[in-house]
Amino acid sequence: MAPGHRSILIAGAGTTGLTVALELARRGFRPRVVDNDVGPVPLAESRALGVNARTLTLLGPSRVTDAILQEAQQIAQFRATSEGHRLATVDTTKLQGRFSAIYALAQGHTERLLLSKLDDYEVDPEWQTAIEKVSGDAKPVVTLRKPDGTVETATFDIVIGADGAHSVVRKAVGIGFPGEALESSFYLADFRYKKEIDPHFIEMQLVDPGMIGRIPVERDVLRFISTLPDFEQKIVHPGPVAERLWVSEFRIHFRHVEEMAKGNVFLAGDAAHIHSPAGARGMNLGIEDACWLAYLISEGREAEYSRLRLPAVKTVLKQTRQLTRLIAMRNRLAISIRNLAVPVLFRLPAFQRRLLTGVAGYDTPPPPWIDGAL
């Protein structure tokens, strides 16, 4: 059977599922994409905001990068403050290559840009279509329930589970998802302002104990994320608030599968790994999974996927765990030591390079199918 004629089912039409579909489609495949939701994530309820340099490199061949750069806010600085004093500033534009380390664009916008490009290949997700059962992994048989309640059973050469942290595909083929959850919760709130604000920096305010992070969403929208339940009372707004758009509370888990594939069933994105949003790696790592998997399938090398991707996943989980510990400290002595050490560390060029390399996503292997990729 010619590679392009292999039947491929993708479960999940989020950024990971849409990316693997697009990367397969531009290589001549006709994947089928199903998702239990009614459509892409609402624009006002996007958990992921950061698009890093690695993702922009990966989405270059599909031309999604051009569209992202037209809409995204370039993040030129990271700032860390404590009690009104600036502890550190990092210039994110001082990075080798075409892109800055990170840009801000709500996940809902990114999904819609991916959908638009995927439409060029006449591949449309089947919304409100649920996977009820997956049998076998060598030649997977999948039972689908459609919006009208009818049931379809079909056999596929490849099934890709990009269906999130509670992945039906992962559970159906018996792949474990070990890990742990942090005891404390995190909180977020998005605010729209009456006038445009400066969207070109991310700021982490250490309030000792705890933190409040300021992240741009649009030119007049900011997200504040915190370890404190009452953080909204401590926010220093940059101007008059027009409206509070969205609030949410969530727990952070650190989990990853021990194998990212079983037979011809593959896992990508949150179905394979979840972690703290510190460093903005989650959505980007899923897109990276998707691009690697599509490439390997097109080369007939998909059996190598788990071996090639798991080291990258472990690298990112280790980094995000370290960053989360740094911002979520509660011990007074540890906080004092951190506040003394941060300004010294951030002045070291080697430390800044390492930090920017991680935020940019350049701490994992570069894609071999893109010439000159970092």
Side-chain angles (χ1 to χ4, degrees):
M1 181 183 295
H5 292 126
R6 299 170 80 183
S7 59
I8 300 175
L9 177 70
I10 301 168
T15 50
T16 300
L18 293 174
T19 298
V20 73
L22 180 58
E23 287 294 290
L24 286 169
R26 74 178 186 85
R27 289 177 167 92
F29 292 83
R30 294 282 298 175
R32 186 175 174 186
V33 186
V34 299
D35 195 295
N36 196 30
D37 285 338
V38 298
V41 64
L43 291 174
E45 297 180 12
S46 299
R47 288 199 183 277
L49 296 178
V51 179
N52 68 19
R54 171 74 86 210
T55 287
L56 293 174
T57 300
L58 290 168
L59 297 181
S62 66
R63 305 302 298 272
V64 175
T65 293
D66 297 338
I68 288 175
L69 291 175
Q70 288 180 2
E71 294 195 24
Q73 311 298 324
Q74 182 187 35
I75 304 301
Q77 285 187 347
F78 287 135
R79 301 174 184 175
T81 65
S82 177
E83 297 181 352
H85 300 291
R86 185 80 60 88
L87 295 179
T89 301
V90 178
D91 184 345
T92 65
T93 65
K94 291 183 177 179
L95 184 75
Q96 181 183 359
R98 177 185 169 194
F99 309 111
S100 295
I102 195 164
Y103 299 73
L105 185 67
Q107 179 182 339
H109 284 289
T110 303
E111 288 184 6
R112 284 160 177 81
L113 295 177
L114 289 165
L115 281 166
S116 177
K117 292 296 182 182
L118 194 56
D119 186 60
D120 293 343
Y121 296 94
E122 298 181 342
V123 175
D124 298 311
E126 300 170 42
W127 299 106
Q128 294 180 281
T129 300
I131 291 183
E132 294 205 332
K133 186 178 181 182
V134 181
S135 302
D137 50 65
K139 191 76 172 178
V141 179
V142 181
T143 301
L144 302 168
R145 183 170 294 278
K146 299 184 176 183
D148 62 2
T150 59
V151 172
E152 173 192 358
T153 299
T155 301
F156 296 90
D157 296 309
I158 290 174
V159 171
I160 300 170
D163 50 341
H166 302 289
S167 173
V168 173
V169 174
R170 184 189 67 236
K171 294 173 182 177
V173 296
I175 297 177
F177 201 39
E180 61 181 358
L182 293 186
E183 293 182 4
S184 57
S185 294
F186 279 64
Y187 309 86
L188 68 82
D190 290 355
F191 293 90
R192 186 180 300 280
Y193 296 92
K194 293 181 179 180
K195 295 182 180 180
E196 288 191 2
I197 46 86
D198 183 353
H200 297 113
F201 69 91
I202 290 174
E203 184 173 79
M204 181 176 65
Q205 178 189 1
L206 303 173
V207 292
D208 303 337
M211 70 90 191
I212 301 174
R214 165 186 159 147
I215 307 169
V217 181
E218 298 176 24
R219 290 186 178 276
D220 61 347
V221 177
L222 288 177
R223 167 166 298 172
F224 293 90
I225 184 169
S226 181
T227 55
L228 307 172
D230 61 346
F231 75 105
E232 290 190 55
Q233 302 171 25
K234 297 178 170 62
I235 292 173
V236 179
H237 290 285
V241 174
E243 59 180 323
R244 186 175 68 164
L245 298 172
W246 185 46
V247 292
S248 183
E249 176 183 346
F250 58 95
R251 295 281 299 278
I252 289 177
H253 293 250
F254 293 92
R255 301 182 185 279
H256 69 80
V257 294
E258 295 176 351
E259 295 293 335
M260 295 180 70
K262 187 173 184 180
N264 285 315
V265 177
F266 301 87
L267 301 175
D270 287 355
H273 44 75
I274 54 174
H275 52 81
S276 163
R281 298 299 297 270
M283 182 185 74
N284 294 288
L285 189 63
I287 288 174
E288 193 174 324
D289 291 342
C291 292
W292 272 90
L293 181 53
Y295 161 71
L296 292 171
I297 289 172
S298 71
E299 295 285 308
R301 296 169 51 198
E302 61 270 15
E304 301 174 39
Y305 171 68
S306 186
R307 176 179 62 81
L308 291 173
R309 289 305 299 157
L310 265 179
V313 168
K314 292 177 181 179
T315 293
V316 171
L317 261 72
K318 180 180 178 181
Q319 182 201 74
T320 58
R321 191 186 296 270
Q322 290 173 340
L323 287 172
T324 303
R325 285 174 177 165
L326 188 68
I327 64 178
M329 286 181 175
R330 294 190 175 277
N331 180 277
R332 289 287 181 180
L333 178 59
I335 288 170
S336 298
I337 294 171
R338 177 198 62 191
N339 291 355
L340 289 172
V342 164
V344 176
L345 284 173
F346 275 71
R347 282 196 293 268
L348 299 175
F351 181 84
Q352 289 203 19
R353 282 196 300 271
R354 180 183 175 190
L355 178 66
L356 286 179
T357 297
V359 173
Y362 288 164
D363 54 353
T364 60
W369 63 94
I370 300 177
D371 292 339
L374 296 174

